[in-house]
Amino acid sequence: SSGGSFVGMLSSQMKQDPEEYAPFLFSAANIQIMAPNEHDHWDIPTVFTTMNGDTQTSKRVQDWVNNEMQADKGPYKIITTSGRKPIHVNHFARVFEDDRQMSDRISGSIHQDLSTLGVVNSSTDEVFANPRFAKDAVMSIWQKYDLLSRKEVANDSKHVDASDVHPFGVSKRLMRSLKKEELDDADSIWLIEELNVAWDEHEITAEGFEDV
């Protein structure tokens, strides 16, 4: 969404002052999961990608289009896509299948925690509600499997070296190049962002762009 906002702002600035940006002027734009600012104006062909569950952004996009994309201005297309998906018992093991740390057992344990705390429906595996509004439950589950907790378990184990523990989905090679803030983000997005994508209101991954 921040990228979509940036593209919209830049498109507007290029229209207002084309000489400043020439010859690097957009001939078309793709605004993803973000509505343009009401002060932004452009007339190049534009594709807007919105989420099926994000009715607020969809309405703002439509309102902007109604005001800006008249018959004498650039063509546009609004594509509504969806990343909604259930969180199955083996969901995380499949998502992070290349990460040996994420076993079927751990994936099942995470699924059980999500069900017990009411984040995921145990019968349908669907996310109950916006994960952003279940922050306490989601954070408590994340802390159970975060880097610090898993390193403590490794220190108490004879079979796992704590130095081999890293954020789910992040290779040891990549981990070495991360700054502390980036490492903190990597340690949380494996759960938080995956739930946000499954909820289908704002976040999206490549899985949701098949129709786009």
Side-chain angles (χ1 to χ4, degrees):
S1 56
S2 57
S5 179
F6 177 73
V7 170
M9 177 190 68
L10 201 52
S11 299
S12 183
Q13 291 179 353
M14 287 180 177
K15 176 176 174 57
Q16 295 173 21
D17 192 1
E19 292 184 1
E20 177 70 20
Y21 294 92
F24 305 105
L25 299 173
F26 291 161
S27 59
N30 181 5
I31 310 295
Q32 299 174 357
I33 53 177
M34 176 58 72
N37 188 293
E38 61 180 3
H39 303 298
D40 289 340
H41 309 282
W42 68 83
D43 54 12
I44 56 176
T46 305
V47 173
F48 296 94
T49 303
T50 60
M51 301 291 293
N52 189 54
D54 191 355
T55 55
Q56 182 177 2
T57 297
S58 297
K59 181 181 184 304
R60 290 178 59 207
V61 167
Q62 189 63 62
D63 289 344
W64 189 91
V65 164
N66 292 341
N67 291 329
E68 295 293 331
M69 292 293 188
Q70 305 300 329
D72 60 337
K73 295 187 177 182
Y76 72 91
K77 183 175 182 62
I78 299 176
I79 297 175
T80 301
T81 188
S82 174
R84 192 170 186 84
K85 55 187 175 182
I87 303 293
H88 297 301
V89 65
N90 62 351
H91 177 87
F92 295 96
R94 301 290 80 82
V95 170
F96 302 108
E97 61 181 356
D98 294 330
D99 190 339
R100 291 183 298 175
Q101 300 177 115
M102 181 60 78
S103 63
D104 286 335
R105 180 185 62 79
I106 292 178
S107 181
S109 179
I110 295 169
H111 180 272
Q112 181 61 52
D113 291 336
L114 289 169
S115 300
T116 300
L117 294 182
V119 179
V120 169
N121 188 317
S122 59
S123 299
T124 65
D125 289 333
E126 296 286 338
V127 178
F128 262 124
N130 191 333
R132 290 181 173 86
F133 299 147
K135 186 176 180 179
D136 290 344
V138 173
M139 290 299 290
S140 68
I141 297 171
W142 164 69
Q143 288 171 347
K144 182 177 178 180
Y145 302 94
D146 69 3
L147 201 57
L148 179 61
S149 297
R150 290 188 291 119
K151 279 183 176 292
E152 290 177 348
V153 172
N155 285 328
D156 294 334
S157 171
K158 297 180 180 180
H159 307 290
V160 181
D161 188 336
S163 65
D164 290 333
V165 178
H166 48 86
F168 291 126
V170 178
S171 68
K172 290 182 66 176
R173 182 178 180 182
L174 175 60
M175 183 175 168
R176 287 196 294 266
S177 66
L178 296 179
K179 300 176 182 177
K180 183 182 184 306
E181 296 78 9
E182 295 170 331
L183 185 60
D184 290 342
D185 285 341
D187 192 27
S188 63
I189 60 175
W190 67 269
L191 175 63
I192 296 171
E193 292 305 285
E194 191 63 25
L195 292 174
N196 287 338
V197 170
W199 174 242
D200 187 37
E201 182 170 310
H202 192 69
E203 306 297 342
I204 193 169
T205 65
E207 298 167 278
F209 275 93
E210 295 177 358
D211 295 332
V212 178

